[in-house]
């Protein structure tokens, strides 16, 4: 298995990952990723884990507008049948290293307070992310946004 940046050839496999993981509807991928694929100077980072010709995971990270060295991880998902095998941890290591090479100071990750995302919150804590904020009723009534952050570089 290797983690690398996404190419146009990955799109069908990434849609399978999205459909399997339920991260977001795969029909949105083409529009979301088009600027990244068409503009080599784009600062967004789309990345995947592959084994042979099979995409096992997808990740998407972008700079926070008007900040100095802050990125937000907007999406990370693993094929349902591959979850729990360390792929997500490898994806996080990859993106943290990529961001450190860009002198990124902080990585923000956001998730839901719902019971369905209990393991996701534990995943981020286990990787050294600190719970920074709760935005109440963000996703819907009674479902909060949980914000985690990690300092990647000291100045």
């Amino acid at each position: 298995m290797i983690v690398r940046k996404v190419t146009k050839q990955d799109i069908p496999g990434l849609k399978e990952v999205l459909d399997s993981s339920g991260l977001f509807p795969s029909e949105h991928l083409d529009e979301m990723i088009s600027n990244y694929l068409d503009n080599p100077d784009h600062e967004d980072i789309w990345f995947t884990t592959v084994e042979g010709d099979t995409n096992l995971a997808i990740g998407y990270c972008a700079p926070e507008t008007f900040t100095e060295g802050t990125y937000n991880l907007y999406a990370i998902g693993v094929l349902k049948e591959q979850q729990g095998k360390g792929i997500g941890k490898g994806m996080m290591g990859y993106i943290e290293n990529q961001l450190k090479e860009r002198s990124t100071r902080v990585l923000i990750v956001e998730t839901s307070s719902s019971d369905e995302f209990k393991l996701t919150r534990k995943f981020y804590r286990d990787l050294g992310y600190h719970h920074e904020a709760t935005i109440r009723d963000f996703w819907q009534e009674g479902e909060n946004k949980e914000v985690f952050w990690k300092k990647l570089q000291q100045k």
Side-chain angles (χ1 to χ4, degrees), residues 19-145:
D19 291 337
S20 168
S21 67
L23 188 61
F24 61 82
S26 62
E27 62 263 17
H28 296 296
L29 182 61
D30 293 317
E31 183 179 342
M32 291 175 65
I33 201 169
S34 64
N35 197 26
Y36 165 82
L37 292 172
D38 297 336
N39 181 357
D41 296 326
H42 206 274
E43 293 186 74
D44 291 3
I45 304 170
W46 286 85
F47 54 110
T48 184
T49 296
V50 294
E51 187 170 50
D53 293 333
T54 304
N55 295 90
L56 303 178
I58 184 173
Y60 167 51
C61 190
E64 283 288 338
T65 305
F66 306 120
T67 68
E68 181 182 309
T70 301
Y71 267 70
N72 195 319
L73 181 71
Y74 289 108
I76 187 167
V78 177
L79 276 171
K80 191 169 189 79
E81 62 269 15
Q82 297 293 325
Q83 292 175 1
K85 297 181 179 180
I87 295 170
K89 184 177 180 180
M91 294 278 285
M92 292 302 294
Y94 173 86
I95 196 59
E96 288 177 14
N97 287 332
Q98 290 291 307
L99 294 174
K100 286 176 185 176
E101 288 177 12
R102 295 175 182 223
S103 299
T104 300
R105 296 177 312 106
V106 173
L107 179 57
I108 303 293
V109 297
E110 303 167 354
T111 191
S112 168
S113 65
S114 74
D115 288 343
E116 181 181 346
F117 289 90
K118 184 177 181 178
L119 289 177
T120 302
R121 295 188 301 274
K122 181 182 181 324
F123 171 76
Y124 291 129
R125 283 189 184 99
D126 289 350
L127 291 175
Y129 286 79
H130 304 279
H131 184 261
E132 186 65 21
T134 297
I135 303 171
R136 295 179 207 179
D137 299 324
F138 181 85
W139 304 106
Q140 62 185 359
E141 191 67 32
E143 185 180 0
N144 307 329
K145 176 192 274 192

